[in-house]
Amino acid sequence: MLTWLYTPADRPTLITKALNGPADMVIVDLEDAVAPTAKEAARAQVVALLGSLRSAPGPSRSSGEPSAPRAGTRPGESSAPWAEARPGEPPVPRAGTRPGESAPWAEARPGEVPAPRGRTRSGEVAVSVVRAARVQVRVNDVRTAWGQADLRDLAPVVAGTAGIRLPKVESPALIRAIADAVPGVPLHPLIESAIGLERAYEIATAHSSVASIGLGEADLRAELGVRDEAGLAWARSRVVVAARAAGLPAPAQSAYTDLRDLEGLAVSCRLGRAMGFRGRAAIHPAQLAVIEAAYRPTAPEIEAAQAVLTASGSGATLLPDGRFVDEAIVRQARSTLADADLRGA
């Protein structure tokens, strides 16, 4: 995969359009893209969307794509174990409540979709085009009541999707607690703080449910006082190394927030690819083609990789152009040609 597209969880028509579009993965965003007053309605819409996948598998993008998921199991209504995952802070309220108010949606029976308050911003999602394996959900910070309610209500329907994106992860204990709450669901922690960055490898290896790690660069920039891309070089390399050391896929780059600067996006993607990233998140469909082009192997790279494989087979050797070839170079060449084949280069 090279492209991940964020879509607001309270804009079902945009989700439908994204699922019909070219992005490899669609991230339904319950956090930054949704205003506080719309979070309850957005959560209910996402629950309904994912629940509908059980009965409406929809057309497949490829013959190898999995079928629609089956429902999971609602976890018990015990107080959230991750409430004390970050020492020095007061515990957050019981899942599903905010300080000083009750949670009417907590009264829904298991398996029942809570009704959203008020009107939603758009109509029903065309679930027949939805493919579970192409959907991730970014929840709110699970140390808050909103995030805990997200996990509680998504637990019955998130099985079979590409998993849950977890913002602002700083503790391996937090990952283990969430993995217990949504067993078998792939988890994708986002590291967005200095302490999270220091613990990147511990977070990546916290539980077998961790399927990837990535950076949340906007929050990290703000905390570190970073002014330009050069200031992120060490943080980016740290996450790439932590992911690979943990046996995880190469991480995807964080979203590029200047929607009008497509040339700047291309330059940043080429830099990210050179640093070991693989693909990038987008916040607008116009960014997708730029990301894919920047991460796709170039014609000279493909030609060089083919030359390496042609010369391989007899141990270490020297190519006519002076390049030394050993097994590590051969593995990299195979990877390049595999990427070129998969992307139609």
Side-chain angles (χ1 to χ4, degrees):
M1 293 187 189
L2 294 184
T3 55
W4 288 255
L5 179 61
Y6 279 101
T7 56
D10 61 344
R11 299 289 299 277
T13 55
L14 292 184
I15 297 173
T16 302
K17 186 178 293 187
L19 287 163
N20 277 317
D24 294 323
M25 182 67 63
V26 174
I27 304 169
V28 180
D29 189 6
L30 283 162
E31 192 200 19
D32 292 340
V34 178
T37 56
K39 287 189 183 292
E40 293 175 22
R43 184 189 309 118
Q45 282 192 325
V46 173
V47 169
L49 167 67
L50 298 184
S52 69
L53 297 178
R54 288 172 287 174
S55 57
S60 174
R61 296 185 82 203
S62 67
S63 58
E65 204 166 8
S67 59
R70 300 180 65 179
T73 304
R74 176 178 291 269
E77 292 291 339
S78 58
S79 57
W82 51 84
E84 299 178 14
R86 189 161 67 174
E89 289 193 354
V92 296
R94 181 183 176 88
T97 62
R98 298 190 189 89
E101 74 173 22
S102 60
W105 64 86
E107 298 175 2
R109 291 184 295 273
E112 191 175 63
V113 176
R117 291 178 176 176
R119 297 178 61 84
T120 58
R121 296 177 63 180
S122 187
E124 294 182 358
V125 174
V127 295
S128 62
V129 302
V130 176
R131 297 301 299 165
R134 291 182 62 217
V135 177
Q136 287 180 6
V137 180
R138 181 165 78 167
V139 298
N140 289 280
D141 184 345
V142 297
R143 295 166 303 190
T144 70
W146 276 329
Q148 292 177 34
D150 290 342
L151 285 186
R152 181 206 65 197
D153 288 350
L154 287 172
V157 293
V158 75
T161 69
I164 296 175
R165 286 207 162 196
L166 299 163
K168 301 174 177 61
V169 174
E170 297 181 344
S171 164
L174 178 67
I175 294 296
R176 290 190 286 270
I178 294 170
D180 289 341
V182 284
V185 174
L187 302 179
H188 305 272
L190 294 175
I191 295 169
E192 305 184 61
S193 67
I195 188 62
L197 191 61
E198 284 294 304
R199 296 170 177 167
Y201 178 74
E202 288 79 6
I203 290 168
T205 57
H207 195 275
S208 60
S209 291
V210 176
S212 75
I213 60 172
L215 274 180
E217 291 185 354
D219 285 77
L220 189 62
R221 278 177 185 260
E223 180 172 334
L224 299 181
V226 168
R227 302 298 179 186
D228 56 26
E229 294 239 340
L232 291 170
W234 185 85
R236 288 172 170 173
S237 291
R238 176 79 177 98
V239 168
V240 169
V241 171
R244 302 307 285 157
L248 298 176
Q253 276 190 278
S254 182
Y256 192 83
T257 56
D258 189 342
L259 298 180
R260 296 182 180 180
D261 185 14
L262 295 182
E263 179 54 36
L265 170 63
V267 171
S268 178
C269 287
R270 288 193 289 269
L271 175 62
R273 181 170 180 246
M275 295 182 71
F277 286 93
R278 182 179 176 85
R280 189 165 200 163
I283 54 177
H284 191 279
Q287 296 178 317
L288 296 174
V290 177
I291 293 169
E292 176 141 356
Y295 270 94
R296 184 188 298 125
T298 65
E301 287 173 338
I302 294 170
E303 183 179 348
Q306 289 170 335
V308 166
L309 292 188
T310 299
S312 66
S314 58
T317 187
L318 191 66
L319 295 181
D321 61 6
R323 285 183 295 154
F324 178 76
V325 176
D326 62 6
E327 181 55 33
I329 302 298
V330 171
R331 288 200 306 270
Q332 191 169 28
R334 287 180 181 139
S335 177
T336 297
L337 293 179
D339 286 349
D341 182 60
L342 286 172
R343 309 313 299 185

